[in-house]
Amino acid sequence: MTGPAGAPGTAGEPGYAVVVPTLVRDTLADCLASLVAAHGPKPSEIVLVDDRPAPANEDREALEHPLSVLGDLRHRTTVLPGGGRGPAAARNTGAQAVAAPWIAFLDDDVQVGPHWCDQLADDLAAAAPDTGGIQGVIAVPLPGERRPTDWERATAGLAQALWITADMVYRTEALKQVGGFDERFPRAFREDADLALRVLDAGWRIRRGRRTTRHPVRPADRWVSLRQQRGNADDALMLRLHGPDWWRKAAAPRGRIRRHAAITAAGAVACLLAAAGRRRAACLAALTWALGTAEFAWARIAPGPRTRDEVVTMLLTSVLIPPAATRHRLEGLWRHRDARPWTEVVGP
């Protein structure tokens, strides 16, 4: 690949487009309203990619209210179908539909700051020719009257994460050079880190900008942390694509997958030994499983509000998460055993 040496300059105020992949959640209207209200030069284009699988007529009506808040920006807005293929594919669909030199990706559950457009213009004007991406500053509001829950703490981690597409701007040329987002990442997880690593490998720089965006903690049920374990399959793809040290490259937390695997193995061995009639050995293995599970549960309970509902949720999910995480990791390793770089998959 060639590097960014021939990238165009950024004199004046470079134009930008906004791409928002959406499942048309209730948060979309607030996201668009914050964009309309933000001071500064507005985007030349807005593309909403409706990523619901084949929405019915009544589902299409759900877009009417979010579109109505756009006001004068409505004529700059295009709605495209995403086909339910995930946010990575939806962002590619949106990026391919715009002509601006910069693309600002926003998630549909964020609210840009009151001076976001001005700050973005400053970010783009200050970008060097070899700047391929500029990350926004994410703020996650947490309750001040109590300790945050496990889900709230997980969401708050976005404020420290690198390159997240809750608010991430990429130079269109850089995106084209690396083939855009890798559509083998089906969830809003790791697809942003993968893209950033490929952009950096191509010789571009990514820096942090001045603009701020608010990411509220959206409501979630008791089992949200269990569903999040599907991301272990995406970690397996990252391992195949970027090597065993991808965690360090992406400044990502290592996670507990090794402990989860050990706890799962201890539980499985305990069951097998019990079935074989080896009670003493089965008890030792079961004790290992219980201690590992208890440590995991307490690590999640201790920093939280310790309400009855939160404690029950942590106990239940702490039993189920290790085997779920292990299963998803093994499935991911198998599914992506022959994974090739994304540019080889999509071609030039």
Side-chain angles (χ1 to χ4, degrees):
M1 292 182 183
T2 59
T10 55
E13 292 183 353
Y16 70 96
V18 169
V19 171
V20 183
T22 181
L23 296 175
V24 195
R25 298 180 287 191
D26 293 340
T27 55
L28 177 60
D30 290 336
C31 174
L32 297 179
S34 68
L35 180 61
V36 172
H39 297 289
K42 295 298 190 284
S44 58
E45 307 166 79
I46 300 173
V47 178
L48 304 181
V49 184
D50 185 350
D51 202 36
R52 296 172 297 175
N57 288 333
E58 57 269 23
D59 292 331
R60 294 190 182 95
E61 295 176 0
L63 265 172
E64 291 183 3
H65 172 58
L67 291 175
S68 70
V69 307
L70 285 167
D72 293 340
L73 292 181
R74 178 65 182 90
H75 72 282
R76 305 185 191 183
T77 304
T78 303
V79 179
L80 299 176
R85 296 184 297 134
R91 293 189 190 103
N92 284 344
T93 297
Q96 291 161 7
V98 303
W102 293 90
I103 303 175
F105 294 101
L106 296 174
D107 286 348
D108 71 351
D109 57 352
V110 303
Q111 299 160 15
V112 302
H115 301 284
W116 187 85
C117 294
D118 271 330
Q119 292 168 338
L120 175 57
D122 292 342
D123 288 343
L124 299 184
D130 65 346
T131 297
I134 308 173
Q135 178 179 347
V137 178
I138 303 299
V140 179
L142 293 175
E145 72 281 2
R146 58 166 174 78
R147 294 178 176 180
T149 64
D150 180 70
W151 172 237
E152 290 167 340
R153 295 194 305 274
T155 304
L158 297 176
Q160 306 302 321
L162 291 180
W163 315 315
I164 61 170
T165 41
D167 179 357
M168 186 72 194
V169 174
Y170 276 106
R171 195 186 291 270
T172 304
E173 180 184 347
L175 282 177
K176 290 180 179 178
Q177 183 177 346
V178 301
F181 288 87
D182 189 331
E183 298 179 10
R184 292 171 295 185
F185 290 92
R187 286 164 285 276
F189 190 69
R190 301 303 189 207
E191 86 291 357
D192 43 15
D194 167 75
L195 174 63
L197 290 177
R198 288 186 286 117
V199 168
L200 291 170
D201 286 344
W204 298 90
R205 291 192 306 153
I206 299 176
R207 66 178 185 85
R208 188 179 293 272
R210 296 180 54 242
R211 65 193 189 279
T212 58
T213 293
R214 185 173 180 266
H215 192 307
V217 179
R218 65 176 184 269
D221 62 30
R222 171 167 286 173
W223 308 108
V224 62
S225 60
L226 185 61
R227 292 193 297 274
Q228 285 184 307
Q229 301 313 307
R230 299 169 184 166
N232 282 282
D234 304 314
D235 283 351
L237 179 55
M238 290 290 288
L239 175 66
R240 296 299 192 207
L241 295 175
H242 300 286
D245 64 341
W246 76 265
W247 304 88
R248 178 186 57 79
K249 296 176 184 176
R254 186 61 185 251
R256 299 178 63 107
I257 187 60
R258 294 182 179 179
R259 295 188 188 184
H260 289 335
I263 292 170
T264 302
V269 167
C271 293
L272 291 173
L273 290 173
R278 300 176 59 182
R279 294 183 57 187
R280 179 172 296 180
C283 287
L284 288 175
L287 178 61
T288 301
W289 172 86
L291 290 174
T293 301
E295 184 276 330
F296 178 42
W298 179 244
R300 303 170 71 208
I301 292 170
R306 306 186 195 180
T307 61
R308 178 178 179 180
D309 184 68
E310 177 74 359
V311 169
V312 169
T313 297
M314 294 300 97
L315 291 175
L316 290 173
T317 55
S318 294
V319 170
L320 298 174
I321 282 175
T326 304
R327 176 173 66 87
H328 286 299
R329 173 57 67 87
L330 293 175
E331 289 178 349
L333 289 172
W334 176 257
R335 184 185 315 129
H336 301 301
R337 63 192 182 279
D338 298 320
R340 295 177 295 148
W342 177 243
T343 49
E344 293 183 14
V345 176
V346 298

